[in-house]
Amino acid sequence: TRRPSDEEHAILCAYFAERQKSGRVKIDMVRVANWQRASCRRISETCRIEWADWNRDDRTQLVRKMKNPRNRNKNKVVALTPEAQAMLVELYEMRDQNQPRVFPYRAESCSAAYTQAKKVLGIDGLHLHDSRRDRATRLVQEDGYSSAEAIGFTGHETPQVFERTYLEMDVSLLKDGPRSKRVAA
């Protein structure tokens, strides 16, 4: 049920940026962490994304080998959040023409770098996968998508699975009444 706070994300990214300056670090964890927070993808899915999987015009991405207990080789097209689309547009301009993958890193190495950063920074109870939960929850609570619409971004099969897995309603959001009935000021 843990979600990274904005402050924790900023602290982690500052740590990763400082480490990147050394020149010895090969993984751009600032970009990886920002992508994880923007995209609703698992780290293994992130590290498999190829430029050919991205449909810039439709703002979609093919997710290869999406986690599914009944179909280990499931491929599915999902919608990209506006932040994820913007990141891909930016990264596309500076991509290595000879590298087919967007994030050419091993998922295990990214997870290890994240775990090490948390340990050094004293951040407890947070996992890289919690960024997926955070973005999925914000799709509904902040962006106003229904669960049925949000699964278009996450790739879940049904809204029920999505709700059971990611939605833990923040009741403070209800203080101004239902989002669906609020009138824009």
Side-chain angles (χ1 to χ4, degrees):
T1 60
R2 179 86 152 80
R3 291 172 57 191
S5 69
D6 292 340
E7 181 182 349
E8 288 171 325
H9 181 71
I11 290 168
L12 284 161
C13 285
Y15 174 83
F16 294 137
E18 192 62 35
R19 298 241 327 131
Q20 194 77 22
K21 289 179 188 175
S22 75
R24 296 178 310 204
V25 177
K26 300 221 185 312
I27 301 173
D28 189 339
M29 281 300 295
V30 173
R31 285 202 178 111
V32 170
N34 285 332
W35 174 260
Q36 291 303 111
R37 194 148 200 235
S39 70
C40 299
R41 301 280 41 95
R42 291 174 179 84
I43 189 62
S44 59
E45 295 166 353
T46 292
C47 292
R48 282 192 293 267
I49 301 169
E50 295 185 9
W51 287 110
D53 298 338
W54 175 42
N55 184 321
R56 185 176 186 158
D57 296 333
D58 289 345
R59 297 178 180 210
T60 60
Q61 168 202 335
L62 172 68
V63 180
R64 298 167 184 271
K65 297 182 182 178
M66 181 177 274
K67 183 178 174 184
N68 183 326
R70 286 169 278 196
N71 181 359
R72 297 250 180 228
N73 290 313
K74 178 181 176 182
N75 295 334
K76 186 170 188 173
V77 174
V78 297
L80 290 167
T81 66
E83 302 93 343
Q85 174 75 4
M87 280 189 73
L88 287 177
V89 169
E90 179 185 334
L91 292 171
Y92 186 78
E93 299 304 320
M94 54 182 131
R95 76 189 185 285
D96 175 351
Q97 298 282 341
N98 297 317
Q99 178 52 258
R101 291 189 300 157
V102 178
F103 299 98
Y105 314 118
R106 292 182 60 237
E108 298 82 5
S109 299
C110 294
S111 292
Y114 195 86
T115 300
Q116 177 64 29
K118 289 184 320 165
K119 193 178 289 186
V120 168
L121 298 169
I123 299 174
D124 292 324
L126 188 63
H127 305 280
L128 187 54
H129 189 76
D130 293 333
S131 294
R132 175 175 162 86
R133 171 186 298 279
D134 179 58
R135 187 61 186 114
T137 303
R138 287 186 295 119
L139 284 168
V140 174
Q141 291 182 351
E142 295 175 16
D143 299 346
Y145 289 101
S146 69
S147 295
E149 294 167 326
I151 66 174
F153 295 94
T154 65
H156 285 88
E157 293 299 319
T158 66
Q160 293 78 17
V161 172
F162 173 84
E163 289 169 3
R164 184 176 62 242
T165 308
Y166 293 111
L167 289 189
E168 202 172 287
M169 178 55 85
D170 178 356
V171 294
S172 70
L173 296 173
L174 301 175
K175 68 181 182 294
D176 296 323
R179 181 181 196 104
S180 59
K181 296 191 178 186
R182 288 185 215 153
V183 179

